[in-house]
Amino acid sequence: MKDLVPVGVPAIDEVMQTVTKRLHSERSKIEYIQDANVFAKFLIERGKTSAQEITYVDMVNYQDWLAVNQDTNKHRSRRRINRMFSVARQVLDIHKRMGTLAYNPAEAIDSLAVDEDASPHIALNKEQATALLAAIDTSTRYGKQEYAVMSLLLRTGLRRAECASLKVKDLDMDSGHYIARVLGKGGMNSIVKVPVDVKNYIQEWLDASGRTVTLESPLFVGFSRGDHPTAIQINPKWIERMVVKYASKIGMKRFTPHSLRASFITLVLENDATLIQTQYAARHKDPRQTERYQRRKLNLNDNAVDKLSFLSRRD
């Protein structure tokens, strides 16, 4: 992560280790440092390097400046802006706690309003989910691993980093059910139920791989030329490339691995899982977070309005 560390801006360099200290995920640490680099770029353009030089007006201008990615000229979403701004706010808050600043100049600046009732992620419907899996050619070992990974993500709601880090020992049995033991968001250990058929897809991949595996072996691995599995654990980027590849085959754009998680949550809710069941399966702390993923709440075929049809006048 050396190339991601902000350079020449003591206001950021001096506290980033403290800011990232409590982050358990390496991916989160990288994202925080990337966002800190953006803040550093903003400060460098204005000739400000020390925390004491940063004012309330600077932070208001920074929030506005974040609206457009200066490298690509593309507009950022409000959620993205809020996340990036929160990193800058934390940097300044550490300075305040250290006594470098008397107050945090970003403290009184509100986050941008976003639609809290909707997830920004695309969710597949039944037909699209079926087509996504059908697009994978399982006649090769590579295809068998792709099918196992895609099924695991879509059928359990695992995050891509959780899936990529799985080892053979993480697949287990509990009370007669197949499970995966995962290190989830925030460093929490979790148990995720794995459907029998998905466990079979994983076993088909392991059997076909020709690998000599131990309990410590990675469950999913990279490949060398000619459909040859290696012993090296896959990177979450491998999952991202795979998901984008097959999503494009069924005409889905702007589709990400997290869209599979959004699809899982949406589809189970639409197939009569309760909100509480879905919350626990998704491992959300708050049911309101789960509900935001339900992308098709307005069901005109089975709507609350229809429940009072008994009041219809009988002529």
Side-chain angles (χ1 to χ4, degrees):
M1 298 197 315
K2 186 177 179 182
D3 59 327
L4 295 174
V5 176
V7 177
V9 186
I12 297 175
D13 292 339
E14 293 169 2
V15 298
M16 276 311 295
Q17 185 175 358
T18 304
V19 172
T20 59
K21 196 172 187 180
R22 295 189 177 183
L23 298 175
H24 297 278
S25 164
E26 284 301 313
R27 180 185 170 197
S28 294
K29 290 179 183 179
I30 290 173
E31 288 176 346
Y32 266 59
I33 294 173
Q34 287 173 333
D35 292 346
N37 269 279
V38 176
F39 188 34
K41 180 179 179 180
F42 172 84
L43 294 175
I44 289 170
E45 287 182 0
R46 283 147 187 81
K48 300 193 174 188
T49 59
S50 71
Q52 292 91 337
E53 295 177 275
I54 303 169
T55 67
Y56 170 82
V57 173
D58 288 327
M59 297 311 297
V60 170
N61 290 337
Y62 179 56
Q63 191 178 52
D64 293 338
W65 185 84
L66 284 173
V68 177
N69 185 317
Q70 306 301 312
D71 296 326
T72 65
N73 207 33
K74 292 182 178 179
H75 286 268
R76 292 189 175 99
S77 70
R78 289 189 165 204
R79 288 179 186 274
R80 175 73 170 147
I81 293 169
N82 285 343
R83 198 199 79 181
M84 296 178 75
F85 191 80
S86 74
V87 172
R89 197 198 310 270
Q90 288 181 60
V91 165
L92 296 174
D93 189 57
I94 295 297
H95 276 290
K96 177 185 172 184
R97 292 171 185 271
M98 292 171 57
T100 313
L101 291 174
Y103 76 101
N104 181 344
E107 190 173 333
I109 301 173
D110 293 331
S111 298
L112 299 178
V114 296
D115 182 1
E116 293 296 339
D117 290 331
S119 164
H121 300 286
I122 297 168
L124 301 171
N125 60 32
K126 289 182 183 180
E127 292 73 20
Q128 290 167 331
T130 301
L132 185 72
L133 292 171
I136 302 174
D137 177 7
T138 58
S139 64
T140 65
R141 285 183 284 193
Y142 193 85
K144 283 181 169 59
Q145 174 169 278
E146 287 184 317
Y147 196 89
V149 170
M150 191 78 83
S151 297
L152 187 60
L153 292 171
L154 184 57
R155 298 282 299 280
T156 67
L158 278 184
R159 300 175 178 90
R160 66 172 180 170
E162 295 169 344
C163 179
S165 65
L166 286 173
K167 295 183 178 181
V168 171
K169 69 177 182 181
D170 294 326
L171 285 186
D172 204 349
M173 295 283 290
D174 189 337
S175 304
H177 300 283
Y178 291 114
I179 61 165
R181 301 184 189 278
V182 301
L183 183 63
K185 199 171 183 180
M188 299 293 291
N189 291 310
S190 303
I191 291 177
V192 175
K193 181 176 180 178
V194 178
V196 173
D197 59 321
V198 175
K199 169 61 170 63
N200 291 339
Y201 305 147
I202 295 171
Q203 192 61 52
E204 286 174 13
W205 141 244
L206 290 175
D207 293 342
S209 70
R211 299 160 55 207
T212 300
V213 299
T214 67
L215 291 177
E216 294 297 329
S217 298
L219 192 59
F220 303 117
V221 296
F223 274 69
S224 59
R225 292 179 182 272
D227 200 31
H228 300 300
T230 69
I232 303 172
Q233 193 153 27
I234 59 169
N235 186 287
K237 279 288 183 185
W238 182 93
I239 294 177
E240 182 176 4
R241 290 192 295 269
M242 177 198 69
V243 170
V244 170
K245 175 177 72 174
Y246 286 109
S248 66
K249 286 189 176 185
I250 64 168
M252 300 296 294
K253 297 179 180 179
R254 297 180 292 107
F255 200 81
T256 68
H258 205 82
S259 298
L260 290 178
R261 182 167 165 81
S263 299
F264 163 75
I265 295 170
T266 301
L267 288 171
V268 296
L269 284 169
E270 290 181 349
N271 284 274
D272 299 327
T274 66
L275 183 60
I276 295 300
Q277 283 178 316
T278 308
Q279 177 196 346
Y280 284 122
R283 291 165 289 135
H284 286 152
K285 291 183 179 180
D286 190 329
R288 289 174 296 183
Q289 185 179 0
T290 310
E291 196 172 20
R292 285 202 296 269
Y293 282 81
Q294 192 172 4
R295 302 306 305 274
R296 296 179 284 271
K297 292 180 186 176
L298 184 58
N299 185 347
L300 296 179
N301 293 320
D302 184 17
N303 194 276
V305 167
D306 303 324
K307 307 306 179 184
L308 299 186
S309 60
F310 65 88
L311 294 175
S312 176
R313 191 177 67 188
R314 304 290 193 268
D315 290 332

